[in-house]
Amino acid sequence: MQNHEMWWERCQFQEQMVPDLTLEDIARQAGVSRSTVSRVVNNFPNVSADVRQRVLDVIQQTGYHPNAAARTLASQRSWTLGLVLPQSAHQIFTDPYYPHLMKGIAQTCNDHNFTLALFLVGNEEDERKISARITRKGLLDGVLVQSGHHGDQQLIGRLVDAGIPQVVIGRPFRYDNVSYVDVDNVNAAFNAVTHLIRQGRQRIATISGLLQSTAGLDRKSGYLKALGERGYKLDEALIIEGDFTEAGGYYAMQSLLPAHPDAVFAASDVMALGAMRAAREAGLSVPDDLAVVGFDDIPIAATSEPPLTTIRQPVSQTGIRAVEALIDQIENGIQPPRHIIMDTQLVIRDSCGANRK
Amino acid sequence: MQNHEMWWERCQFQEQMVPDLTLEDIARQAGVSRSTVSRVVNNFPNVSADVRQRVLDVIQQTGYHPNAAARTLASQRSWTLGLVLPQSAHQIFTDPYYPHLMKGIAQTCNDHNFTLALFLVGNEEDERKISARITRKGLLDGVLVQSGHHGDQQLIGRLVDAGIPQVVIGRPFRYDNVSYVDVDNVNAAFNAVTHLIRQGRQRIATISGLLQSTAGLDRKSGYLKALGERGYKLDEALIIEGDFTEAGGYYAMQSLLPAHPDAVFAASDVMALGAMRAAREAGLSVPDDLAVVGFDDIPIAATSEPPLTTIRQPVSQTGIRAVEALIDQIENGIQPPRHIIMDTQLVIRDSCGANRK
DNA sequence: TGCGATTTTGAGAGCGCTCTCACAATCATA
DNA sequence: TATGATTGTGAGAGCGCTCTCAAAATCGCA
């Protein structure tokens, strides 16, 4: 296959319903062999201009489309990529992270003329069914696994064992031999907390993400690193594990309150929102009594009361890079695993106190 | 194919990486013919118990998985469903509607052993590529189109012309010959507005959805119907078209303010949130000065200030029903189009004023 | 034990495409 | 014009499975 942009993507849709045509039919009507039609269809060179045109005309008139299954069988390429969103992802599926990720992935697949197959694994049984389907040949050329959660390691291992090209989105727990793309969570959290330190905050708490996830772990590391570098001494009372939900942030903040923090870094915006709700209910003013920094830059972060200072991560971009890495792996064979780390950006709004007069 | 729950979904994953096996290989090792292995693999009856066991053993040992492309080619069934989220959907992709819809769809596909292929169409070019890919044989057994937007009618028409089994999610503009499943938007809006009337509100405004969408249109109809039935006379100054975004709701509310509404029905929660923000900035108290009802019941609706009264729609359930209808159509052939309408539920919280002492 | 009915098994013809290989046609060069 | 290199075209063997049809094995019952 020489050129991924195929003629039928340019061709106008045929209005009338056509009987199922085969290469053979086109060949007969154009007075050439099956091989020649195949060459035209696949944009191969070595077809004389007039023959090519004759074949294209017949194709145009008849509204012929090649059969996907037959091509896949003969060429051993399905032009389909799988995207697996595991159990952990399923639960927090209302997080705008996923739509954005999927948007980047779907768009990139489309650009490269790949079809995207989506697998949401909800439970153990799903996982069984899905791994069987994925490891089956002739369906997928490669797989993207959104992960970073502890429970997803098995699936990743299976794909490695099956020798299926794979790129993980999010840092996996064990990442020998696996390519992945992740945002730089450690640095992002480091920058967020450093920013709070520069505001003169003394008692900086954190509502971490789930510590079964590498994102949760890494963001906590960044928090600790920032405090450590500035000589703050560790206070366990200022650290609590959240679960990436609004309610989780709310309750986490409530239990943080007795330790009298004057700032909090939440590992997600929805948790930050929950934390602000708890603070508000406790009569604390944000940012005067409590500075808050979130993570994600979800849409409502800009319009919350007060607008939320947060970390913006390039989610779509992450998806794009993952697809590109996967396609590269498919086309050029297995290579040393690549670890792609995406930069983040601190978006300063009002909740951190930096904009006060 | 007698039974959709296939043996390989039950079978344990083979640890070692196996060479690509074919039916032929299994047949040879088990000392039977290809046909017999095929029968075992597909759970056909008419295979003696001992032979079946012998074959299953070999399959188990070798870790054989049938080739998807070969089956599709031979059986003319791909066991894959397409989900198309058109242009309009793409833009408002942060709406939690989509994740929930996809969850229902993906889960149901998995339950029925179908693979789900996702197509996000972002622009004209995408649409060309995607329609070509969809109408190609051998890739999809049927297609779900999330629609209800004016611009999506072309795609639906193409699929009808191509004779591909299809179920539309959301009421299409022209729905002759197309099956669809939609929530009862008219009634939902009717109930929401009737609820406001019962609270004694006199000047009830609406921030409608995009009127290029049937959802926007139908919700506005419900609003008008409720007012009409109670003898309220139409005041154009109380009606404004929104765009389903927070900012849209905010500006819409601002332009509604001069007309002095004492209640507003917003066609989506995010718009309701925007409206409340505008009201707050204008010094209006919700619900005392302005009662607000939204639509969707997104997660933050429960924790907004004040908590938002809204319409809960069975989004996942809608996806489930759509998949089931599509599979039915695939298995039992084209039938008279079905129109499935889902009920909604009014969730009363504080923003409508019903819970005041 | 024999004969028809039933069940189990195998042979083989596709499904619609790709791709190698050989042959035919064209070209450049001497 | 002869010769080899190059380009254009066709024949045909798969790819791995399904499914029909017929043969073989088994069964029921007289």
Side-chain angles (χ1 to χ4, degrees):
Chain A
M1 209 158 296
Q2 302 276 18
N3 180 336
H4 293 178
E5 145 92 72
M6 298 298 156
W7 59 263
W8 62 76
E9 284 144 12
R10 278 177 249 112
C11 103
Q12 285 307 303
F13 194 86
Q14 297 301 312
E15 284 304 326
Q16 74 287 13
M17 191 183 156
V18 285
D20 282 9
L21 294 159
T22 71
L23 257 197
E24 193 78 51
D25 299 321
I26 306 303
R28 200 173 323 110
Q29 290 191 40
V32 296
S33 74
R34 212 168 55 246
S35 318
T36 300
V37 179
S38 176
R39 277 188 275 263
V40 172
V41 160
N42 291 300
N43 274 334
F44 278 120
N46 294 347
V47 179
S48 64
D50 55 332
V51 170
R52 164 167 272 129
Q53 193 53 53
R54 188 145 39 96
V55 172
L56 282 174
D57 287 347
V58 174
I59 286 172
Q60 190 87 304
Q61 291 165 30
T62 54
Y64 165 76
H65 283 250
N67 181 295
R71 316 190 104 189
T72 300
L73 179 58
S75 67
Q76 306 288 20
R77 290 282 257 105
S78 68
W79 295 94
T80 301
L81 263 32
L83 170 61
V84 183
L85 302 180
Q87 205 150 3
S88 50
H90 195 165
Q91 289 149 4
I92 44 174
F93 202 54
T94 48
D95 190 327
Y97 174 86
Y98 294 94
H100 276 112
L101 182 66
M102 291 174 52
K103 181 177 140 184
I105 291 173
Q107 181 63 57
T108 315
C109 282
N110 203 41
D111 291 347
H112 291 80
N113 294 297
F114 275 83
T115 296
L116 178 66
L118 182 67
F119 302 88
L120 297 189
V121 0
N123 55 44
E124 293 282 324
E125 199 199 325
D126 286 355
E127 169 150 356
R128 251 185 331 106
K129 282 192 180 187
I130 287 174
S131 357
R133 208 150 347 124
I134 287 176
T135 50
R136 199 140 106 234
K137 299 289 171 185
L139 183 58
L140 303 175
D141 285 343
V143 179
L144 298 165
V145 182
Q146 196 288 321
S147 179
H149 189 275
H150 198 263
D152 311 332
Q153 302 306 301
Q154 192 187 10
L155 179 64
I156 296 173
R158 287 179 176 184
L159 292 173
V160 170
D161 292 342
I164 294 175
Q166 151 180 239
V167 171
V168 177
I169 297 166
R171 180 170 75 79
F173 272 76
R174 294 180 62 253
Y175 49 88
D176 19 320
N177 299 321
V178 185
S179 286
Y180 69 85
V181 19
D182 195 12
V183 297
D184 194 345
N185 283 305
V186 176
N187 254 312
F190 178 88
N191 291 337
V193 175
T194 300
H195 175 72
L196 288 170
I197 292 173
R198 291 216 186 96
Q199 306 305 312
R201 301 291 170 165
Q202 296 298 322
R203 297 188 53 73
I204 303 174
T206 189
I207 301 173
S208 82
L210 282 171
L211 299 181
Q212 305 171 46
S213 74
T214 47
L217 246 24
D218 290 352
R219 290 172 198 178
K220 185 175 172 184
S221 299
Y223 162 84
L224 294 172
K225 185 176 160 210
L227 293 188
E229 283 197 3
R230 295 300 187 113
Y232 281 60
K233 72 167 185 293
L234 181 66
D235 183 349
E236 286 289 354
L238 292 174
I239 300 178
I240 188 164
E241 181 178 356
D243 61 356
F244 289 121
T245 69
E246 205 270 353
Y250 176 81
Y251 293 120
M253 192 67 232
Q254 285 186 331
S255 43
L256 239 25
L257 254 19
H260 299 295
D262 60 1
V264 62
F265 165 61
S268 82
D269 281 353
V270 289
M271 290 198 298
L273 257 20
M276 291 206 293
R277 183 161 63 95
R280 189 166 54 233
E281 286 182 8
L284 261 42
S285 148
V286 175
D288 294 332
D289 302 325
L290 183 77
V292 178
V293 177
F295 204 114
D296 284 342
D297 195 25
I298 61 177
I300 39 168
T303 58
S304 63
E305 186 52 40
L308 189 63
T309 292
T310 186
I311 301 283
R312 180 179 300 159
Q313 41 173 341
V315 184
S316 276
Q317 202 61 35
T318 300
I320 294 172
R321 296 294 299 276
V323 173
E324 288 173 348
L326 181 57
I327 292 178
D328 182 58
Q329 205 177 118
I330 291 168
E331 315 228 293
N332 305 319
I334 306 295
Q335 296 161 338
R338 291 165 58 184
H339 299 169
I340 302 171
I341 307 298
M342 311 290 289
D343 275 341
T344 59
Q345 181 191 350
L346 180 64
V347 179
I348 298 176
R349 299 205 180 91
D350 299 348
S351 70
C352 61
N355 290 338
R356 285 178 301 178
K357 297 291 129 21
Chain B
M1 208 157 299
Q2 302 276 21
N3 181 337
H4 293 176
E5 148 88 76
M6 298 299 157
W7 59 263
W8 62 77
E9 283 145 14
R10 276 175 250 115
C11 101
Q12 284 307 303
F13 194 87
Q14 297 301 312
E15 283 304 327
Q16 74 286 12
M17 189 181 157
V18 285
D20 283 7
L21 293 160
T22 70
L23 258 198
E24 194 78 51
D25 298 321
I26 306 303
R28 200 175 321 111
Q29 290 191 41
V32 297
S33 74
R34 213 167 54 246
S35 317
T36 300
V37 179
S38 176
R39 277 188 275 263
V40 172
V41 160
N42 292 299
N43 273 334
F44 278 120
N46 295 347
V47 179
S48 64
D50 56 331
V51 170
R52 164 166 272 128
Q53 193 53 54
R54 188 145 38 96
V55 172
L56 282 174
D57 287 348
V58 175
I59 286 173
Q60 190 88 302
Q61 292 166 30
T62 54
Y64 165 77
H65 283 250
N67 181 295
R71 316 189 104 189
T72 299
L73 180 57
S75 66
Q76 306 288 21
R77 290 281 258 106
S78 67
W79 295 94
T80 300
L81 263 32
L83 170 61
V84 183
L85 302 180
Q87 203 149 7
S88 50
H90 195 165
Q91 290 150 4
I92 45 174
F93 202 57
T94 47
D95 189 328
Y97 175 85
Y98 294 93
H100 276 113
L101 182 67
M102 291 174 51
K103 181 177 139 186
I105 292 173
Q107 181 62 57
T108 314
C109 283
N110 203 41
D111 290 347
H112 291 79
N113 293 297
F114 275 82
T115 296
L116 179 65
L118 182 66
F119 301 89
L120 297 188
V121 0
N123 55 45
E124 292 282 325
E125 199 197 326
D126 286 354
E127 170 151 353
R128 251 186 330 107
K129 282 193 180 184
I130 287 175
S131 356
R133 206 147 351 121
I134 287 177
T135 50
R136 201 142 103 230
K137 299 289 169 185
L139 183 59
L140 304 176
D141 285 342
V143 179
L144 298 166
V145 182
Q146 196 288 323
S147 178
H149 190 276
H150 197 264
D152 311 332
Q153 302 306 301
Q154 192 187 9
L155 178 64
I156 295 174
R158 286 179 176 183
L159 293 174
V160 171
D161 292 342
I164 295 174
Q166 151 180 238
V167 171
V168 177
I169 296 167
R171 180 171 75 79
F173 272 77
R174 294 179 63 254
Y175 48 89
D176 19 321
N177 299 321
V178 185
S179 286
Y180 69 84
V181 19
D182 195 13
V183 297
D184 193 345
N185 283 305
V186 177
N187 254 313
F190 178 87
N191 291 338
V193 175
T194 299
H195 175 73
L196 287 171
I197 292 173
R198 291 216 184 95
Q199 305 306 312
R201 301 291 170 165
Q202 296 299 320
R203 296 188 55 73
I204 303 174
T206 190
I207 302 172
S208 81
L210 281 171
L211 299 181
Q212 305 170 46
S213 75
T214 48
L217 245 22
D218 291 352
R219 289 171 197 178
K220 185 176 171 185
S221 299
Y223 162 83
L224 293 173
K225 185 177 160 210
L227 293 189
E229 284 197 3
R230 295 301 187 114
Y232 281 60
K233 71 168 188 291
L234 181 67
D235 184 349
E236 286 289 354
L238 291 175
I239 300 178
I240 187 164
E241 181 177 356
D243 61 357
F244 290 121
T245 69
E246 206 269 354
Y250 176 81
Y251 294 120
M253 192 66 232
Q254 285 187 331
S255 40
L256 240 24
L257 253 19
H260 299 294
D262 61 0
V264 61
F265 164 60
S268 82
D269 282 354
V270 288
M271 290 198 298
L273 258 19
M276 292 206 292
R277 183 161 62 95
R280 188 166 56 233
E281 286 183 8
L284 262 41
S285 148
V286 175
D288 294 331
D289 303 324
L290 183 77
V292 178
V293 177
F295 204 112
D296 285 342
D297 196 24
I298 62 177
I300 39 167
T303 57
S304 64
E305 185 51 41
L308 188 63
T309 292
T310 187
I311 300 284
R312 180 179 299 159
Q313 42 172 340
V315 184
S316 276
Q317 201 59 35
T318 300
I320 294 172
R321 295 294 299 276
V323 173
E324 289 173 348
L326 182 56
I327 292 177
D328 183 57
Q329 204 176 120
I330 292 167
E331 315 226 295
N332 305 318
I334 305 295
Q335 296 162 338
R338 290 165 58 185
H339 299 168
I340 301 171
I341 307 298
M342 310 291 288
D343 275 341
T344 60
Q345 182 191 350
L346 180 65
V347 180
I348 297 175
R349 298 205 181 89
D350 299 348
S351 69
C352 61
N355 291 339
R356 285 178 301 177
K357 297 289 124 29

